[in-house]
Amino acid sequence: MNSKNKNNDSSSEDDAKVYETLTKLPPANEIMPRKLTIDIDVKSLFPLKPLPQFNQFYSTFVEEIQTPQHTVETMQQEERTLLEYFEQNKQNLIYKRFDQLDLSKRSPNDRTYFSTLFANFKKQYPRVYFRGDPLFDQKLIPCQTDQLKFDSNFESGNLFCAFKKAENVYDLILQNDINTRGNTQWFFFSVTGAKAGQTVQFNLLNQLKSNSLFNEGLQPAIYSIKENEINKKEWSRGGFNISYFKSSFIKEYPQTMRAKYYQLRFSYTFKYNNDKVYFAHSYPYTYTNLLEFLNTILDNPEKNQYMSRKSLCTTLGGNTCEVLTITSNSMQRRAYRKGVVFLARQHPGEPQGSYVMQGIIEYLTSNNPQADYLRQNCIFKIFPMMNSDGVVNGNYRCGLEGSDFNRRWKKPNKYLHPTVYYAKKYIKGFSKERQIILVIDLHGHSRKQSSFVYGCAYSSQVKTIERVFALLMAKMNPFMDYSSCTFRVENSKDKTARIQIWRELKINWVYTYECSFYGQQKKHFQIKDYINCGVSICNSLSQIVKDTSKEFTNQANIPDIQQQILEELGKMPQTDDQDQGSDTSQSEAELSDDEIVQLFQPKTYSLKQKNFLKQLDTKKKQITTKQTLITQKNSILQESPSKNQQQQQDNKLPQSSLKPKNVAYRIPPQVKLRQIEPIKEQQQQPIMVDKSCQTDDWMYRQWLIQIGKQKKQEEYLSQTPTRNIYKSSSQSATRFIVKNTSKPDRGRIDSISLVNSGIQKTSFSQQRQIMRYSGSNFMY
């Protein structure tokens, strides 16, 4: 128990040290002014093109007229992989993301993932590989003038290649997450070269999930450069003839299950000539958008006095993970302020969390009286983008190391998951400074409508304190549906930030806030709706803070808000908290251990991967030992004497080597032969065996045993016995009993029989001089 307490104390001290180093302000410099803004330096694994300035105008959303959807004609197609599809349609290829890609090449380990890029982190700077070949600068392959031109070489883009299937019909394959075998649900690409009025059908062949909101009315997000220049229109929803169904293409993993991809199909009519149109799963929010937004706050003297920024750590890709602190500059009641933590973008393909986070930051730095009240009573710690590497490189769910950040909070690796590792330590240190009352992790959901939360609860009862803040948010947020909220602690989500923070820090209100990709009641969410969700979270929090700080005010007559909500919860019917969560296992898309070992440094290996390496080393040693034995045997056989000497030495061969070549006489190499021979007066000459005839392993081992015994006899011949030997006689044989008086032997032999004919020739003293004990055998 004492050792456990010591370990807990040391870990808590480490958390406090990390928090102190990150929150300690640098000394003031009188000569140089303090730089508040952030340098926009986005680092990617490969060069990227700049994107247009999205979201400059938040205009009223205009729902496009949607034509009736046609039923999908499900044709019985032959099952095949994406690589087989490419080999059959390589003449129709019109776009691939990198010019050097040899899409027909197969991996040397017979594991060819068609659209996976590997980043090797064994060196100082990661290097990108595709099926064993390194990638450098990308170049677009030339397209014909009458064809569309695709592009995804920009931030958050992930189109891997495109094929022209028919006139105005194009098949698209999405890029897998870096260092994974799948995770293809997010898409973001651009199209140019279309004519006004031209209708094009897009088929996305390798979608991940078995069900999607596209079958319920969700439309892709579309941004037109010319329409933005003319009408100041930002991102909107568009497209028609939308369907989502099971594809005929088989996943490369696992091959035994022959699981299939899913396909998204939609059509779009272009409105302008020479226009560039962007298509995405939802409204994109890039790492550059975040840095530009933070700079607008830091450049504003009215807002930057409430917010300070700090670099939490550097990611694997070289980007910076920011942590923001928002509170009042006043020192009054600073020690009594509550702690609140917000996190976003653990999954890079869920940009809704960034828009909600932007609404929270804008509200908390505004001059709103409720915001000022929150700043005076709370200290906010905000992690606006946890997985900036995944956002930059177009991943949907994982970071560059190929794992889900929201499944690494139990034991994060300092080198593979630095943002999770340092964020967890930071939150723990913050909890030792003051009481944390609320933690919210912002996400997006692709299979449910509206917005809702996942919470934790010790029991399935409706009237629990963990549900209070969720119901309060649903009352104050018109876009939130409380009936969709669930409060469970599932084993499959045990390593998430929500469950781990709830367990380790004992905080009641720890939620995963989910916003739908679609909207509410089959109406699309706009960007401003996501921002308003963040504002409603802050308004709900102000009600709770006022309720918990009544002892410092004169509002004792106001009824307890929490008690009112608990009474209201008690009147609600019991729910089973069933969740329509993800139907895919993260372990299916992760690389195998032998592939991970080749990409990362040994200090990042897990215990399972270290054991895997040990097994590989033992196998290599076994192979090398077998090879050395074979080479030694061949060298001995090559040194065989002439045929005349062979015939003369055949008569001198020992009886043990003249045994027939029969499998029944072969002894396994693990069994040690212990043979006892009669004592001889004089030392015999080394036994010469015809090595050219040693084609049998059994005979070869017999010869090695004889040579080894003679060497041991020569080595111990000059030594004196160190054990007491007593003599006893019988009619047929004389028996010597070995009695150990000093220390226990490794291989003790209690007795051994000696032939009478051999003993009668020598005296007892000579026998003691001749007989020696070595390990597990007597040597004569």
Side-chain angles (χ1 to χ4, degrees), residues 571-602:
K571 300 177 182 179
M572 289 186 175
Q574 185 76 21
T575 58
D576 54 356
D577 285 342
Q578 293 295 327
D579 174 44
Q580 189 180 7
S582 177
D583 57 341
T584 56
S585 175
Q586 177 63 22
S587 59
E588 293 181 0
E590 290 182 352
L591 298 178
S592 58
D593 291 329
D594 57 339
E595 294 171 317
I596 293 175
V597 164
Q598 299 175 4
L599 299 176
F600 300 99
Q601 298 179 359

PDB file of all heavy atoms in Angstrom, residues 571-602:
ATOM      1  N   LYS A 571     -39.678  12.800 -12.808  1.00  0.00           N
ATOM      2  CA  LYS A 571     -40.966  12.597 -13.465  1.00  0.00           C
ATOM      3  C   LYS A 571     -40.834  12.000 -14.865  1.00  0.00           C
ATOM      4  O   LYS A 571     -41.842  11.629 -15.468  1.00  0.00           O
ATOM      5  CB  LYS A 571     -41.713  13.926 -13.556  1.00  0.00           C
ATOM      6  CG  LYS A 571     -41.997  14.554 -12.195  1.00  0.00           C
ATOM      7  CD  LYS A 571     -42.669  15.906 -12.352  1.00  0.00           C
ATOM      8  CE  LYS A 571     -42.912  16.569 -10.987  1.00  0.00           C
ATOM      9  NZ  LYS A 571     -43.537  17.908 -11.131  1.00  0.00           N
ATOM     10  N   MET A 572     -39.609  11.952 -15.390  1.00  0.00           N
ATOM     11  CA  MET A 572     -39.405  11.425 -16.744  1.00  0.00           C
ATOM     12  C   MET A 572     -39.427   9.904 -16.724  1.00  0.00           C
ATOM     13  O   MET A 572     -39.065   9.270 -15.733  1.00  0.00           O
ATOM     14  CB  MET A 572     -38.067  11.913 -17.298  1.00  0.00           C
ATOM     15  CG  MET A 572     -38.054  13.392 -17.625  1.00  0.00           C
ATOM     16  SD  MET A 572     -36.510  13.870 -18.444  1.00  0.00           S
ATOM     17  CE  MET A 572     -36.866  15.577 -18.825  1.00  0.00           C
ATOM     18  N   PRO A 573     -39.845   9.285 -17.826  1.00  0.00           N
ATOM     19  CA  PRO A 573     -39.857   7.809 -17.878  1.00  0.00           C
ATOM     20  C   PRO A 573     -38.438   7.252 -17.948  1.00  0.00           C
ATOM     21  O   PRO A 573     -37.497   7.918 -18.360  1.00  0.00           O
ATOM     22  CB  PRO A 573     -40.644   7.512 -19.166  1.00  0.00           C
ATOM     23  CG  PRO A 573     -40.444   8.732 -20.007  1.00  0.00           C
ATOM     24  CD  PRO A 573     -40.359   9.894 -19.050  1.00  0.00           C
ATOM     25  N   GLN A 574     -38.312   6.000 -17.532  1.00  0.00           N
ATOM     26  CA  GLN A 574     -37.023   5.321 -17.547  1.00  0.00           C
ATOM     27  C   GLN A 574     -36.620   5.031 -18.997  1.00  0.00           C
ATOM     28  O   GLN A 574     -37.422   4.584 -19.816  1.00  0.00           O
ATOM     29  CB  GLN A 574     -37.096   4.010 -16.759  1.00  0.00           C
ATOM     30  CG  GLN A 574     -35.772   3.283 -16.626  1.00  0.00           C
ATOM     31  CD  GLN A 574     -34.862   3.932 -15.617  1.00  0.00           C
ATOM     32  OE1 GLN A 574     -35.331   4.663 -14.750  1.00  0.00           O
ATOM     33  NE2 GLN A 574     -33.571   3.703 -15.745  1.00  0.00           N
ATOM     34  N   THR A 575     -35.368   5.285 -19.322  1.00  0.00           N
ATOM     35  CA  THR A 575     -34.838   5.039 -20.670  1.00  0.00           C
ATOM     36  C   THR A 575     -33.780   3.955 -20.596  1.00  0.00           C
ATOM     37  O   THR A 575     -33.117   3.772 -19.574  1.00  0.00           O
ATOM     38  CB  THR A 575     -34.235   6.324 -21.263  1.00  0.00           C
ATOM     39  OG1 THR A 575     -33.193   6.796 -20.396  1.00  0.00           O
ATOM     40  CG2 THR A 575     -35.291   7.399 -21.398  1.00  0.00           C
ATOM     41  N   ASP A 576     -33.612   3.241 -21.722  1.00  0.00           N
ATOM     42  CA  ASP A 576     -32.617   2.173 -21.764  1.00  0.00           C
ATOM     43  C   ASP A 576     -31.254   2.666 -22.221  1.00  0.00           C
ATOM     44  O   ASP A 576     -30.293   1.898 -22.224  1.00  0.00           O
ATOM     45  CB  ASP A 576     -33.079   1.046 -22.698  1.00  0.00           C
ATOM     46  CG  ASP A 576     -33.433   1.551 -24.086  1.00  0.00           C
ATOM     47  OD1 ASP A 576     -33.388   2.789 -24.298  1.00  0.00           O
ATOM     48  OD2 ASP A 576     -33.752   0.726 -24.952  1.00  0.00           O
ATOM     49  N   ASP A 577     -31.161   3.938 -22.609  1.00  0.00           N
ATOM     50  CA  ASP A 577     -29.883   4.539 -23.005  1.00  0.00           C
ATOM     51  C   ASP A 577     -29.215   3.757 -24.128  1.00  0.00           C
ATOM     52  O   ASP A 577     -28.014   3.497 -24.109  1.00  0.00           O
ATOM     53  CB  ASP A 577     -28.931   4.639 -21.815  1.00  0.00           C
ATOM     54  CG  ASP A 577     -29.326   5.770 -20.880  1.00  0.00           C
ATOM     55  OD1 ASP A 577     -30.082   6.651 -21.322  1.00  0.00           O
ATOM     56  OD2 ASP A 577     -28.890   5.757 -19.719  1.00  0.00           O
ATOM     57  N   GLN A 578     -29.993   3.359 -25.113  1.00  0.00           N
ATOM     58  CA  GLN A 578     -29.407   2.688 -26.263  1.00  0.00           C
ATOM     59  C   GLN A 578     -28.829   3.722 -27.222  1.00  0.00           C
ATOM     60  O   GLN A 578     -29.467   4.725 -27.522  1.00  0.00           O
ATOM     61  CB  GLN A 578     -30.462   1.841 -26.985  1.00  0.00           C
ATOM     62  CG  GLN A 578     -30.943   0.661 -26.166  1.00  0.00           C
ATOM     63  CD  GLN A 578     -29.848  -0.338 -25.915  1.00  0.00           C
ATOM     64  OE1 GLN A 578     -28.955  -0.529 -26.742  1.00  0.00           O
ATOM     65  NE2 GLN A 578     -29.894  -0.987 -24.757  1.00  0.00           N
ATOM     66  N   ASP A 579     -27.630   3.455 -27.701  1.00  0.00           N
ATOM     67  CA  ASP A 579     -26.940   4.416 -28.556  1.00  0.00           C
ATOM     68  C   ASP A 579     -26.664   3.793 -29.908  1.00  0.00           C
ATOM     69  O   ASP A 579     -26.277   2.623 -30.011  1.00  0.00           O
ATOM     70  CB  ASP A 579     -25.619   4.855 -27.916  1.00  0.00           C
ATOM     71  CG  ASP A 579     -24.798   5.741 -28.839  1.00  0.00           C
ATOM     72  OD1 ASP A 579     -25.390   6.630 -29.461  1.00  0.00           O
ATOM     73  OD2 ASP A 579     -23.580   5.525 -28.942  1.00  0.00           O
ATOM     74  N   GLN A 580     -26.880   4.589 -30.919  1.00  0.00           N
ATOM     75  CA  GLN A 580     -26.567   4.176 -32.289  1.00  0.00           C
ATOM     76  C   GLN A 580     -25.163   4.689 -32.604  1.00  0.00           C
ATOM     77  O   GLN A 580     -24.966   5.627 -33.348  1.00  0.00           O
ATOM     78  CB  GLN A 580     -27.593   4.743 -33.268  1.00  0.00           C
ATOM     79  CG  GLN A 580     -27.469   4.197 -34.677  1.00  0.00           C
ATOM     80  CD  GLN A 580     -28.504   4.801 -35.588  1.00  0.00           C
ATOM     81  OE1 GLN A 580     -29.216   5.709 -35.200  1.00  0.00           O
ATOM     82  NE2 GLN A 580     -28.594   4.305 -36.804  1.00  0.00           N
ATOM     83  N   GLY A 581     -24.182   4.064 -32.003  1.00  0.00           N
ATOM     84  CA  GLY A 581     -22.807   4.540 -32.129  1.00  0.00           C
ATOM     85  C   GLY A 581     -22.127   4.001 -33.364  1.00  0.00           C
ATOM     86  O   GLY A 581     -22.752   3.557 -34.321  1.00  0.00           O
ATOM     87  N   SER A 582     -20.813   4.031 -33.306  1.00  0.00           N
ATOM     88  CA  SER A 582     -20.023   3.577 -34.443  1.00  0.00           C
ATOM     89  C   SER A 582     -20.106   2.071 -34.564  1.00  0.00           C
ATOM     90  O   SER A 582     -20.050   1.337 -33.576  1.00  0.00           O
ATOM     91  CB  SER A 582     -18.565   4.016 -34.262  1.00  0.00           C
ATOM     92  OG  SER A 582     -17.778   3.529 -35.304  1.00  0.00           O
ATOM     93  N   ASP A 583     -20.245   1.590 -35.791  1.00  0.00           N
ATOM     94  CA  ASP A 583     -20.355   0.160 -36.027  1.00  0.00           C
ATOM     95  C   ASP A 583     -19.048  -0.442 -36.501  1.00  0.00           C
ATOM     96  O   ASP A 583     -19.005  -1.580 -36.936  1.00  0.00           O
ATOM     97  CB  ASP A 583     -21.437  -0.116 -37.077  1.00  0.00           C
ATOM     98  CG  ASP A 583     -21.147   0.618 -38.375  1.00  0.00           C
ATOM     99  OD1 ASP A 583     -20.365   1.584 -38.369  1.00  0.00           O
ATOM    100  OD2 ASP A 583     -21.705   0.211 -39.404  1.00  0.00           O
ATOM    101  N   THR A 584     -17.990   0.296 -36.460  1.00  0.00           N
ATOM    102  CA  THR A 584     -16.696  -0.189 -36.911  1.00  0.00           C
ATOM    103  C   THR A 584     -15.740  -0.228 -35.736  1.00  0.00           C
ATOM    104  O   THR A 584     -15.760   0.631 -34.871  1.00  0.00           O
ATOM    105  CB  THR A 584     -16.106   0.718 -38.002  1.00  0.00           C
ATOM    106  OG1 THR A 584     -16.021   2.056 -37.497  1.00  0.00           O
ATOM    107  CG2 THR A 584     -16.969   0.687 -39.234  1.00  0.00           C
ATOM    108  N   SER A 585     -14.917  -1.233 -35.731  1.00  0.00           N
ATOM    109  CA  SER A 585     -13.916  -1.368 -34.686  1.00  0.00           C
ATOM    110  C   SER A 585     -12.637  -0.672 -35.123  1.00  0.00           C
ATOM    111  O   SER A 585     -12.163  -0.861 -36.245  1.00  0.00           O
ATOM    112  CB  SER A 585     -13.631  -2.853 -34.417  1.00  0.00           C
ATOM    113  OG  SER A 585     -12.594  -2.994 -33.494  1.00  0.00           O
ATOM    114  N   GLN A 586     -12.095   0.126 -34.204  1.00  0.00           N
ATOM    115  CA  GLN A 586     -10.881   0.864 -34.543  1.00  0.00           C
ATOM    116  C   GLN A 586      -9.716  -0.074 -34.794  1.00  0.00           C
ATOM    117  O   GLN A 586      -8.828   0.215 -35.593  1.00  0.00           O
ATOM    118  CB  GLN A 586     -10.547   1.840 -33.403  1.00  0.00           C
ATOM    119  CG  GLN A 586      -9.258   2.629 -33.599  1.00  0.00           C
ATOM    120  CD  GLN A 586      -9.310   3.533 -34.807  1.00  0.00           C
ATOM    121  OE1 GLN A 586     -10.372   3.882 -35.268  1.00  0.00           O
ATOM    122  NE2 GLN A 586      -8.154   3.907 -35.315  1.00  0.00           N
ATOM    123  N   SER A 587      -9.695  -1.219 -34.114  1.00  0.00           N
ATOM    124  CA  SER A 587      -8.583  -2.147 -34.280  1.00  0.00           C
ATOM    125  C   SER A 587      -8.534  -2.730 -35.686  1.00  0.00           C
ATOM    126  O   SER A 587      -7.473  -3.166 -36.139  1.00  0.00           O
ATOM    127  CB  SER A 587      -8.693  -3.280 -33.260  1.00  0.00           C
ATOM    128  OG  SER A 587      -9.921  -3.973 -33.418  1.00  0.00           O
ATOM    129  N   GLU A 588      -9.662  -2.772 -36.395  1.00  0.00           N
ATOM    130  CA  GLU A 588      -9.655  -3.297 -37.755  1.00  0.00           C
ATOM    131  C   GLU A 588      -8.853  -2.417 -38.697  1.00  0.00           C
ATOM    132  O   GLU A 588      -8.185  -2.913 -39.594  1.00  0.00           O
ATOM    133  CB  GLU A 588     -11.094  -3.422 -38.259  1.00  0.00           C
ATOM    134  CG  GLU A 588     -11.924  -4.470 -37.542  1.00  0.00           C
ATOM    135  CD  GLU A 588     -13.324  -4.560 -38.110  1.00  0.00           C
ATOM    136  OE1 GLU A 588     -13.620  -3.798 -39.054  1.00  0.00           O
ATOM    137  OE2 GLU A 588     -14.117  -5.382 -37.617  1.00  0.00           O
ATOM    138  N   ALA A 589      -8.927  -1.107 -38.509  1.00  0.00           N
ATOM    139  CA  ALA A 589      -8.232  -0.188 -39.405  1.00  0.00           C
ATOM    140  C   ALA A 589      -6.795   0.070 -38.991  1.00  0.00           C
ATOM    141  O   ALA A 589      -6.025   0.625 -39.771  1.00  0.00           O
ATOM    142  CB  ALA A 589      -8.984   1.142 -39.486  1.00  0.00           C
ATOM    143  N   GLU A 590      -6.398  -0.319 -37.779  1.00  0.00           N
ATOM    144  CA  GLU A 590      -5.031  -0.088 -37.339  1.00  0.00           C
ATOM    145  C   GLU A 590      -4.084  -1.078 -38.010  1.00  0.00           C
ATOM    146  O   GLU A 590      -4.460  -2.187 -38.378  1.00  0.00           O
ATOM    147  CB  GLU A 590      -4.941  -0.224 -35.815  1.00  0.00           C
ATOM    148  CG  GLU A 590      -5.626   0.897 -35.056  1.00  0.00           C
ATOM    149  CD  GLU A 590      -5.468   0.755 -33.567  1.00  0.00           C
ATOM    150  OE1 GLU A 590      -4.964  -0.290 -33.122  1.00  0.00           O
ATOM    151  OE2 GLU A 590      -5.853   1.682 -32.844  1.00  0.00           O
ATOM    152  N   LEU A 591      -2.846  -0.658 -38.147  1.00  0.00           N
ATOM    153  CA  LEU A 591      -1.833  -1.511 -38.743  1.00  0.00           C
ATOM    154  C   LEU A 591      -1.464  -2.638 -37.784  1.00  0.00           C
ATOM    155  O   LEU A 591      -1.666  -2.545 -36.576  1.00  0.00           O
ATOM    156  CB  LEU A 591      -0.589  -0.690 -39.087  1.00  0.00           C
ATOM    157  CG  LEU A 591      -0.775   0.439 -40.112  1.00  0.00           C
ATOM    158  CD1 LEU A 591       0.532   1.182 -40.309  1.00  0.00           C
ATOM    159  CD2 LEU A 591      -1.273  -0.091 -41.446  1.00  0.00           C
ATOM    160  N   SER A 592      -0.901  -3.701 -38.339  1.00  0.00           N
ATOM    161  CA  SER A 592      -0.452  -4.810 -37.509  1.00  0.00           C
ATOM    162  C   SER A 592       0.852  -4.445 -36.806  1.00  0.00           C
ATOM    163  O   SER A 592       1.509  -3.452 -37.128  1.00  0.00           O
ATOM    164  CB  SER A 592      -0.258  -6.063 -38.373  1.00  0.00           C
ATOM    165  OG  SER A 592       0.665  -5.806 -39.408  1.00  0.00           O
ATOM    166  N   ASP A 593       1.227  -5.267 -35.827  1.00  0.00           N
ATOM    167  CA  ASP A 593       2.409  -4.965 -35.021  1.00  0.00           C
ATOM    168  C   ASP A 593       3.690  -4.971 -35.849  1.00  0.00           C
ATOM    169  O   ASP A 593       4.574  -4.138 -35.641  1.00  0.00           O
ATOM    170  CB  ASP A 593       2.531  -5.978 -33.882  1.00  0.00           C
ATOM    171  CG  ASP A 593       1.432  -5.797 -32.851  1.00  0.00           C
ATOM    172  OD1 ASP A 593       0.989  -4.653 -32.682  1.00  0.00           O
ATOM    173  OD2 ASP A 593       1.016  -6.790 -32.241  1.00  0.00           O
ATOM    174  N   ASP A 594       3.810  -5.898 -36.795  1.00  0.00           N
ATOM    175  CA  ASP A 594       5.025  -5.930 -37.600  1.00  0.00           C
ATOM    176  C   ASP A 594       5.140  -4.718 -38.515  1.00  0.00           C
ATOM    177  O   ASP A 594       6.248  -4.325 -38.890  1.00  0.00           O
ATOM    178  CB  ASP A 594       5.073  -7.222 -38.425  1.00  0.00           C
ATOM    179  CG  ASP A 594       3.852  -7.370 -39.319  1.00  0.00           C
ATOM    180  OD1 ASP A 594       2.831  -6.723 -39.031  1.00  0.00           O
ATOM    181  OD2 ASP A 594       3.920  -8.116 -40.313  1.00  0.00           O
ATOM    182  N   GLU A 595       4.012  -4.092 -38.872  1.00  0.00           N
ATOM    183  CA  GLU A 595       4.067  -2.871 -39.676  1.00  0.00           C
ATOM    184  C   GLU A 595       4.368  -1.642 -38.817  1.00  0.00           C
ATOM    185  O   GLU A 595       5.099  -0.737 -39.237  1.00  0.00           O
ATOM    186  CB  GLU A 595       2.737  -2.684 -40.411  1.00  0.00           C
ATOM    187  CG  GLU A 595       2.469  -3.751 -41.454  1.00  0.00           C
ATOM    188  CD  GLU A 595       1.063  -3.663 -42.012  1.00  0.00           C
ATOM    189  OE1 GLU A 595       0.118  -3.457 -41.246  1.00  0.00           O
ATOM    190  OE2 GLU A 595       0.900  -3.826 -43.238  1.00  0.00           O
ATOM    191  N   ILE A 596       3.810  -1.601 -37.602  1.00  0.00           N
ATOM    192  CA  ILE A 596       4.054  -0.457 -36.718  1.00  0.00           C
ATOM    193  C   ILE A 596       5.506  -0.411 -36.294  1.00  0.00           C
ATOM    194  O   ILE A 596       6.108   0.666 -36.183  1.00  0.00           O
ATOM    195  CB  ILE A 596       3.111  -0.545 -35.504  1.00  0.00           C
ATOM    196  CG1 ILE A 596       1.660  -0.343 -35.953  1.00  0.00           C
ATOM    197  CG2 ILE A 596       3.477   0.491 -34.445  1.00  0.00           C
ATOM    198  CD1 ILE A 596       0.645  -0.519 -34.856  1.00  0.00           C
ATOM    199  N   VAL A 597       6.109  -1.567 -36.053  1.00  0.00           N
ATOM    200  CA  VAL A 597       7.505  -1.619 -35.607  1.00  0.00           C
ATOM    201  C   VAL A 597       8.434  -0.996 -36.641  1.00  0.00           C
ATOM    202  O   VAL A 597       9.468  -0.414 -36.300  1.00  0.00           O
ATOM    203  CB  VAL A 597       7.880  -3.084 -35.309  1.00  0.00           C
ATOM    204  CG1 VAL A 597       9.377  -3.255 -35.214  1.00  0.00           C
ATOM    205  CG2 VAL A 597       7.233  -3.524 -34.012  1.00  0.00           C
ATOM    206  N   GLN A 598       8.095  -1.084 -37.901  1.00  0.00           N
ATOM    207  CA  GLN A 598       8.945  -0.537 -38.952  1.00  0.00           C
ATOM    208  C   GLN A 598       8.806   0.971 -39.116  1.00  0.00           C
ATOM    209  O   GLN A 598       9.611   1.585 -39.811  1.00  0.00           O
ATOM    210  CB  GLN A 598       8.616  -1.223 -40.282  1.00  0.00           C
ATOM    211  CG  GLN A 598       8.842  -2.717 -40.278  1.00  0.00           C
ATOM    212  CD  GLN A 598       8.394  -3.371 -41.567  1.00  0.00           C
ATOM    213  OE1 GLN A 598       7.977  -2.699 -42.502  1.00  0.00           O
ATOM    214  NE2 GLN A 598       8.475  -4.687 -41.627  1.00  0.00           N
ATOM    215  N   LEU A 599       7.802   1.599 -38.480  1.00  0.00           N
ATOM    216  CA  LEU A 599       7.529   3.018 -38.706  1.00  0.00           C
ATOM    217  C   LEU A 599       7.919   3.908 -37.538  1.00  0.00           C
ATOM    218  O   LEU A 599       8.100   5.113 -37.739  1.00  0.00           O
ATOM    219  CB  LEU A 599       6.031   3.218 -38.994  1.00  0.00           C
ATOM    220  CG  LEU A 599       5.474   2.507 -40.228  1.00  0.00           C
ATOM    221  CD1 LEU A 599       3.971   2.710 -40.319  1.00  0.00           C
ATOM    222  CD2 LEU A 599       6.138   3.007 -41.500  1.00  0.00           C
ATOM    223  N   PHE A 600       8.056   3.347 -36.326  1.00  0.00           N
ATOM    224  CA  PHE A 600       8.264   4.179 -35.155  1.00  0.00           C
ATOM    225  C   PHE A 600       9.501   3.724 -34.388  1.00  0.00           C
ATOM    226  O   PHE A 600       9.996   2.604 -34.582  1.00  0.00           O
ATOM    227  CB  PHE A 600       7.035   4.145 -34.242  1.00  0.00           C
ATOM    228  CG  PHE A 600       5.779   4.629 -34.899  1.00  0.00           C
ATOM    229  CD1 PHE A 600       4.852   3.740 -35.402  1.00  0.00           C
ATOM    230  CD2 PHE A 600       5.538   5.983 -35.041  1.00  0.00           C
ATOM    231  CE1 PHE A 600       3.697   4.172 -36.019  1.00  0.00           C
ATOM    232  CE2 PHE A 600       4.384   6.439 -35.659  1.00  0.00           C
ATOM    233  CZ  PHE A 600       3.471   5.538 -36.146  1.00  0.00           C
ATOM    234  N   GLN A 601       9.974   4.580 -33.512  1.00  0.00           N
ATOM    235  CA  GLN A 601      11.151   4.290 -32.714  1.00  0.00           C
ATOM    236  C   GLN A 601      10.807   3.305 -31.603  1.00  0.00           C
ATOM    237  O   GLN A 601       9.664   3.217 -31.162  1.00  0.00           O
ATOM    238  CB  GLN A 601      11.706   5.585 -32.128  1.00  0.00           C
ATOM    239  CG  GLN A 601      12.167   6.580 -33.187  1.00  0.00           C
ATOM    240  CD  GLN A 601      12.698   7.863 -32.585  1.00  0.00           C
ATOM    241  OE1 GLN A 601      12.708   8.030 -31.383  1.00  0.00           O
ATOM    242  NE2 GLN A 601      13.137   8.775 -33.432  1.00  0.00           N
ATOM    243  N   PRO A 602      11.822   2.568 -31.102  1.00  0.00           N
ATOM    244  CA  PRO A 602      11.534   1.550 -30.071  1.00  0.00           C
ATOM    245  C   PRO A 602      10.928   2.112 -28.795  1.00  0.00           C
ATOM    246  O   PRO A 602      10.198   1.407 -28.096  1.00  0.00           O
ATOM    247  CB  PRO A 602      12.916   0.938 -29.813  1.00  0.00           C
ATOM    248  CG  PRO A 602      13.693   1.184 -31.058  1.00  0.00           C
ATOM    249  CD  PRO A 602      13.209   2.505 -31.582  1.00  0.00           C
TER     250      PRO A 602
END
